[in-house]
Amino acid sequence: MVRSIFILILFFSSAFGNNVYTQNCISCHKDLSYSLQEIFMRYLSAYGGENNVKAGMLHYFIYPAKDISVMPKEFLEEEGIMNHGYIGEKNLQKSIDTYWELYKVKGRLK
Ligand code: HEC
């Protein structure tokens, strides 16, 4: 019984995390000229490991600035600097976790 409740909680928390990612991140990013996968690869090569990627991304989301962006200058000129902070720190953290889980394997295969 306790175990099935635990599994249920795990299921709902990951489903919720995925939702934030799908509703916010994918719905807006699908129209940009760089895919979320390409952006992820740029983070991975700029920051290296999991903790650095996650911390670097969260920092950018809350304090976005041209000189700490991993994106090419032309892209930033086209899109402007995006402040992701309105999504809320908790939601951003969950989305970053989902984002990491989705692409970390592909990053390693590169
Ligand atoms: C309303 C549109 C919109 C939403 C929602 C959005 N983004 Fe973005 N995002 C952008 C734009 C535009 C850029 C490019 C400008 C920039 O880098 O500041 C960007 C840039 C980024 C970058 C690169 C940052 C850098 O170093 O320049 C990452 C990583 C990212 N988004 C991830 C996410 C994730 C994860 C979510 C979901 C929590 C998300 N975005 C939600 C529009 C959006």
Side-chain angles (χ1 to χ4, degrees):
M1 183 63 186
V2 172
R3 207 165 128 204
S4 55
I5 290 174
F6 181 67
I7 289 170
L8 260 181
I9 291 173
L10 262 188
F11 174 75
F12 280 116
S13 56
S14 69
F16 182 69
N18 276 331
N19 254 347
V20 176
Y21 180 76
T22 312
Q23 279 170 13
N24 287 290
C25 321
I26 296 180
S27 68
C28 183
H29 270 262
K30 67 177 171 16
D31 300 322
L32 302 181
S33 52
Y34 277 81
S35 69
L36 277 165
Q37 180 170 348
E38 285 165 321
I39 297 178
F40 186 87
M41 296 313 165
R42 297 182 79 93
Y43 260 89
L44 205 55
S45 50
Y47 287 94
E50 174 171 359
N51 289 340
N52 289 345
V53 167
K54 288 182 172 177
M57 219 178 266
L58 187 65
H59 182 86
Y60 184 85
F61 287 166
I62 297 170
Y63 308 103
K66 221 180 197 160
D67 50 335
I68 59 163
S69 170
V70 302
M71 301 308 291
K73 244 199 344 237
E74 309 78 63
F75 176 71
L76 293 176
E77 272 156 19
E78 200 178 292
E79 297 296 341
I81 294 290
M82 169 75 194
N83 189 337
H84 294 69
Y86 77 92
I87 295 165
E89 196 166 330
K90 270 224 162 82
N91 285 335
L92 286 171
Q93 251 157 0
K94 275 190 200 131
S95 312
I96 291 172
D97 288 341
T98 309
Y99 192 25
W100 174 264
E101 289 304 317
L102 268 175
Y103 292 112
K104 66 173 181 192
V105 177
K106 290 182 187 147
R108 259 193 236 125
L109 290 177
K110 202 176 70 158

